Amino acid sequence: MLEVNNVELRYGDFIAVHALNFSIQPGEIFGLLGTNGAGKTTTFRVIMGLLEPSKGSVRYFGEKVGYHNVDEIGYMIEERSLLTKLTVKELLLYFGQLKSMSKPLILERMEYWLKYFEISDYKDKKIKELSKGNQQKIQFLSAIINEPKLLVLDEPFSGLDPINTELFVKVIREFQEKGTMIVFSSHQLDHVESFCEKIVVLEKGKAIIDGYIKKVKDDFEKLTINIDADVNADELRALPGVYLVKANTNGIQVKVESKEYIQGVFDYVKTCQNIMRFEVEQASLSEIFVSKVGGAREKV
Amino acid sequence: MKKFKFLVFHGLKRRLLKKSFIITNVILGLVIVALINIPAIISVFDSDEDAVKSTVIIIYETTDENYPLEETLLHYFNRAFEEDQYVVHPSLLIANEDFWDIEHLEVMLIFTGDLNQPNIDVYTKGQTSRNFILSNIQSFLNDYQGIQYANYSFIEPPTTGEPGTGIDPETRMFVEAIITVLMLPVFILIILTTQFLGVDIIEEKSTKAIETIISSVPAKMHFLSKIIVNIGFLIAQSGVLLVFGVIGFLISLFLQSGLNIDAMSLLAEFAERVPNWPGIITTLVLFMVLGTLFYLTLAAVVAAIATTQEDYQQFQAPLIFTLLGGFYIGIFLPIMGLDSAIRVFAYIPLFSPLVAPVAFATGVISGIEVMVIFALLMVFIVLFMYLVSPVYRVAILSYEETKFFKRIAFYVKKAFSSGK
């Protein structure tokens, strides 16, 4: 398992990461979220052992992450980090051998994955000749070619079309089934919501949301009520606990501070004509993210 | 260690099996072979009238003055050549001591006594010339006397060396010329290697591939592998140049041109006039390797601090100027006779790789001083590497865009305050 224990990273007086705690079990997918500059990449660098924490520790199966166990880890950085003058084959051989893999094994896995991603024809093409999406595939491939026990993915879906995104998701799921620990960051919160069990949301290096997604959503009291009826928006706004009323194509969306205000809204809607829908739903991860990050910024 | 070996072999393979390297060396090989054979090629098109002949003065002070000694000896000297190479010098009225200053006057022989038992004063410029003349005189005497009896006096050029240097001005000029010829490829190769190293590192850094690499191998290993690869490249490139030189020389021998004699004379003369040439060559090679190590270390750190190719081009200027400075100091200060300045620069580690071999070759510093400078340079490089490797480790993964010196200060602070 991977344990991040009270990790803090300082540069002089500046604290890049504040007392970060989380753990990942084999077969778990963990989401590290945050706005740009929140400290996600720095945290990944600490996990990878590229930066030494000022306080706390990162333990990989009880050991410090270092060059003795780095061959079991796959790392894909946010920006494309490929040697563009090399061919796909040369690059994968280079990165694979840096993970102490033998040439025949790299070639065998390379053939498999290139076929899987439907880019076998590009094997002898230079990286710079590939499209951005295909470069992203090669970068992802270089992170998984060693079949890692821990896969660190910084924005793996950035720049991908929906079809390729699904392809990546499928591969990540396959690794999860094999017992790989996966930690990744993404701005696409729907993906995080769809396959992460646990998350940490960072803002200015601090964890402002932390834990299992279900619990995070349960703990977030604000709710959304979707109404399709002849209601008056101003009257809705005047109800206690209502903080937002928004009209959309499917009717009216009402946001309330907590579940105790639902009854008041329901009582009002009952007085209206043509009631077609009254539906209460939990806030999405995206709403929680915006709400918490916005709140955290206001505090700063 | 396995990864280090892989990085070194991968780097060398990428450098030495590159099309550009192969094509450049093929062209370079042709140019070197052509340059060595230029006199032979020119001589094919040149008329005989333009050929420079060696002149000879033969003075015969004996009772048997009617014997055509001069004519006979010239016949012996020229019999190995299709065209006459040795002719009589137009003037016989020169002082013996002026022999050394007269251009193209290669041989002066003063015969006294009887030709059956002559005393011969032999003036020649260079050992090869002396051997050639001597063997022909012996052949002549053998034919004339039936035996080879003669009393030879070999006249040496005057030695008016400067006190302390132990090298006469003429030899010093000769050594300066040779050392300039030797230093130029050394200088070019060091510049070339630092360029390659910098571009190599900055390519990995600017494409962000460095992050993937450093997540697999320690920054220090990456740093050392780059330096070893480039020293390997330097040695390989020097070896290739040497091989081209030998090929060119062998071709010139094969062509049996006039050049082969000149070239051999040059080498023989170098060996004769500079008896400590093995020391000079050893010093040159050792300082070349150590200097390359130092300049590569410096280039690696500069490349790690830079974030883009443009950045590196800008930041490497001080390094190039330092190298250029060392080269010009080594070339011009000896010519200007500023021996004290050469000695001082030879002790400054920044310049000693390029200045110390010249200072030693020209007799400005002694062998003991060379050893002291070498030890100083080694200590300096070890300390320098010890200090800069943490900076490299921090800088290689950072993308600061501040001004150069501010950036250096930031990385130094970061390198020695925390971090892996």
Side-chain angles (χ1 to χ4, degrees):
Chain A
M1 78 187 278
L2 181 80
E3 294 167 288
V4 175
N5 302 316
N6 206 28
V7 163
E8 183 174 293
L9 189 80
R10 279 174 177 270
Y11 294 123
D13 296 334
F14 175 70
I15 305 175
V17 178
H18 296 253
L20 189 61
N21 283 289
F22 62 85
S23 65
I24 312 167
Q25 298 292 333
E28 267 186 353
I29 303 181
F30 183 88
L32 191 63
L33 313 177
T35 51
N36 297 329
K40 300 187 298 288
T41 301
T42 306
T43 305
F44 282 144
R45 283 183 170 186
V46 173
I47 292 172
M48 288 305 299
L50 296 174
L51 293 172
E52 186 80 18
S54 314
K55 269 189 199 167
S57 64
V58 176
R59 296 271 154 191
Y60 169 77
F61 291 108
E63 283 186 328
K64 197 176 171 183
V65 177
Y67 290 107
H68 62 290
N69 52 22
V70 81
D71 292 347
E72 297 175 357
I73 302 173
Y75 181 38
M76 177 179 174
I77 75 161
E78 184 182 358
E79 290 161 273
R80 282 184 191 88
S81 61
L82 302 166
L83 292 162
T84 53
K85 288 179 186 166
L86 298 188
T87 63
V88 169
K89 185 179 167 185
E90 286 169 343
L91 183 98
L92 292 174
L93 276 170
Y94 181 51
F95 283 168
Q97 286 180 92
L98 285 179
K99 294 282 180 194
S100 304
M101 291 172 71
S102 68
K103 265 189 185 179
L105 183 63
I106 299 167
L107 293 173
E108 185 192 318
R109 288 189 187 160
M110 181 188 77
E111 296 292 347
Y112 171 79
W113 286 115
L114 289 180
K115 200 172 167 190
Y116 190 98
F117 284 105
E118 298 171 348
I119 47 172
S120 295
D121 294 346
Y122 302 142
K123 188 170 70 180
D124 295 313
K125 285 219 171 209
K126 288 194 173 177
I127 302 290
K128 62 182 173 189
E129 293 168 14
L130 305 183
S131 67
K132 280 186 177 179
N134 284 334
Q135 286 186 4
Q136 185 84 338
K137 284 179 186 174
I138 299 302
Q139 185 156 356
F140 182 60
L141 224 156
S142 70
I144 61 169
I145 199 154
N146 59 330
E147 295 197 344
K149 289 182 183 169
L150 170 65
L151 186 54
V152 180
L153 305 169
D154 197 356
E155 296 287 349
F157 310 116
S158 130
L160 285 180
D161 59 48
I163 294 166
N164 282 318
T165 303
E166 281 314 308
L167 207 58
F168 272 43
V169 169
K170 202 176 153 201
V171 175
I172 292 170
R173 285 272 186 225
E174 280 178 22
F175 273 93
Q176 183 193 17
E177 280 162 22
K178 284 184 203 167
T180 301
M181 297 176 280
I182 297 153
V183 50
F184 83 103
S185 70
S186 177
H187 290 305
Q188 289 159 286
L189 297 179
D190 50 336
H191 283 122
V192 178
E193 203 164 352
S194 70
F195 66 73
C196 272
E197 284 91 8
K198 282 199 280 190
I199 57 161
V200 160
V201 177
L202 290 176
E203 178 60 12
K204 298 207 182 291
K206 281 185 185 160
I208 53 168
I209 302 173
D210 171 14
Y212 285 93
I213 287 189
K214 191 177 177 310
K215 191 168 183 306
V216 167
K217 290 178 96 171
D218 287 346
D219 289 349
F220 191 75
E221 291 189 327
K222 291 173 181 169
L223 297 161
T224 301
I225 306 167
N226 294 308
I227 302 164
D228 188 359
D230 295 339
V231 292
N232 183 310
D234 291 334
E235 285 174 3
L236 273 171
R237 272 187 204 102
L239 292 172
V242 172
Y243 69 93
L244 186 72
V245 176
K246 203 164 64 178
N248 59 32
T249 49
N250 298 319
I252 299 278
Q253 205 174 52
V254 177
K255 300 210 182 255
V256 292
E257 294 290 356
S258 65
K259 62 181 177 185
E260 65 209 50
Y261 299 108
I262 296 171
Q263 190 61 47
V265 177
F266 186 64
D267 289 343
Y268 165 74
V269 172
K270 276 198 294 186
T271 64
C272 302
Q273 298 296 308
N274 297 321
I275 303 165
M276 301 297 287
R277 186 159 65 123
F278 185 91
E279 185 185 68
V280 181
E281 64 177 37
Q282 278 188 314
S284 68
L285 194 57
S286 180
E287 282 174 300
I288 299 172
F289 181 84
V290 171
S291 167
K292 293 278 186 182
V293 169
R297 286 197 174 168
E298 279 161 22
K299 281 178 203 165
V300 174
Chain B
M1 200 59 198
K2 192 182 160 193
K3 287 186 183 179
F4 181 70
K5 269 188 196 166
F6 166 70
L7 280 174
V8 170
F9 282 117
H10 182 265
L12 278 173
K13 205 174 133 190
R14 272 195 74 193
R15 182 63 43 80
L16 300 179
L17 298 183
K18 237 180 178 177
K19 268 185 208 164
S20 57
F21 175 80
I22 295 166
I23 293 168
T24 308
N25 275 291
V26 167
I27 296 169
L28 209 60
L30 293 172
V31 170
I32 289 172
V33 170
L35 278 175
I36 291 175
N37 288 286
I38 273 179
I41 296 162
I42 291 171
S43 68
V44 171
F45 302 100
D46 235 4
S47 68
D48 289 344
E49 286 167 19
D50 296 335
V52 177
K53 310 226 181 222
S54 301
T55 54
V56 179
I57 293 175
I58 299 168
I59 298 167
Y60 183 32
E61 296 172 350
T62 178
T63 47
D64 190 8
E65 286 178 359
N66 295 327
Y67 186 80
L69 181 64
E70 189 175 81
E71 194 183 319
T72 311
L73 277 175
L74 281 173
H75 167 72
Y76 275 86
F77 296 159
N78 287 320
R79 62 185 177 172
F81 306 101
E82 278 183 28
E83 299 290 331
D84 285 357
Q85 289 294 307
Y86 289 90
V87 292
V88 177
H89 192 268
S91 170
L92 285 174
L93 299 170
I94 60 162
N96 292 359
E97 59 271 22
D98 292 342
F99 168 79
W100 309 105
D101 301 326
I102 298 172
E103 206 179 8
H104 305 309
L105 178 54
E106 283 297 313
V107 183
M108 183 159 81
L109 302 170
I110 302 172
F111 282 72
T112 50
D114 195 298
L115 262 185
N116 285 314
Q117 201 173 335
N119 295 314
I120 313 168
D121 290 346
V122 182
Y123 292 74
T124 55
K125 291 174 183 168
Q127 185 65 41
T128 310
S129 179
R130 177 186 293 178
N131 294 342
F132 176 78
I133 295 298
L134 200 60
S135 69
N136 280 293
I137 292 173
Q138 283 168 348
S139 292
F140 158 70
L141 290 175
N142 197 35
D143 294 343
Y144 184 83
Q145 304 169 349
I147 50 166
Q148 293 176 26
Y149 184 81
N151 202 8
Y152 298 101
S153 298
F154 298 109
I155 313 301
E156 300 296 339
T159 51
T160 52
E162 287 174 14
T165 65
I167 292 181
D168 63 273
E170 197 185 336
T171 304
R172 183 171 160 148
M173 272 177 67
F174 177 75
V175 170
E176 278 166 11
I178 292 288
I179 207 83
T180 305
V181 171
L182 291 175
M183 288 304 287
L184 191 64
V186 171
F187 171 72
I188 290 170
L189 281 174
I190 291 177
I191 291 266
L192 204 66
T193 321
T194 53
Q195 281 288 315
F196 281 146
L197 175 94
V199 169
D200 205 13
I201 290 175
I202 205 70
E203 189 188 327
E204 290 180 348
K205 192 174 173 183
S206 60
T207 55
K208 306 277 168 89
I210 195 71
E211 198 142 338
T212 309
I213 296 166
I214 300 296
S215 70
S216 302
V217 294
K220 199 182 273 183
M221 186 188 280
H222 180 259
F223 173 65
L224 287 175
S225 72
K226 291 286 173 200
I227 288 172
I228 299 290
V229 164
N230 282 284
I231 288 186
F233 165 76
L234 183 88
I235 291 167
Q237 183 66 79
S238 308
V240 168
L241 291 179
L242 197 67
V243 167
F244 287 149
V246 171
I247 291 172
F249 186 69
L250 290 175
I251 290 173
S252 77
L253 283 179
F254 179 75
L255 290 174
Q256 291 292 301
S257 69
L259 171 78
N260 51 33
I261 289 172
D262 289 340
M264 287 198 337
S265 303
L266 189 70
L267 291 175
E269 197 169 341
F270 182 63
E272 185 200 354
R273 295 175 87 164
V274 190
N276 66 339
W277 67 268
I280 291 173
I281 300 293
T282 309
T283 307
L284 186 71
V285 171
L286 287 177
F287 274 91
M288 179 182 167
V289 172
L290 218 54
T292 307
L293 181 64
F294 169 63
Y295 292 120
L296 285 179
T297 307
L298 196 58
V301 178
V302 169
I305 289 169
T307 53
T308 59
Q309 295 279 7
E310 294 77 18
D311 243 9
Y312 178 66
Q313 293 303 323
Q314 198 182 332
F315 294 169
Q316 67 161 346
L319 171 68
I320 301 293
F321 285 136
T322 307
L323 271 163
L324 211 58
F327 179 67
Y328 280 124
I329 288 165
I331 299 298
F332 290 114
L333 291 193
I335 295 170
M336 292 157 80
L338 298 170
D339 290 0
S340 307
I342 303 169
R343 177 176 262 116
V344 170
F345 279 111
Y347 276 92
I348 299 172
L350 222 54
F351 301 109
S352 48
L354 291 164
V355 180
V358 181
F360 177 59
T362 50
V364 175
I365 57 170
S366 65
I368 292 166
E369 280 181 291
V370 167
M371 283 190 268
V372 170
I373 292 169
F374 190 77
L376 274 176
L377 187 60
M378 264 180 57
V379 171
F380 177 78
I381 290 172
V382 169
L383 276 175
F384 186 68
M385 286 181 91
Y386 176 76
L387 285 171
V388 298
S389 62
V391 178
Y392 179 87
R393 191 190 61 214
V394 168
I396 197 77
L397 289 176
S398 301
Y399 292 86
E400 283 287 316
E401 294 284 355
T402 49
K403 285 187 176 172
F404 186 56
F405 289 107
K406 200 176 171 186
R407 209 181 296 183
I408 292 176
F410 175 71
Y411 289 145
V412 169
K413 197 178 161 190
K414 210 170 160 185
F416 294 100
S417 62
S418 67
K420 184 175 168 179

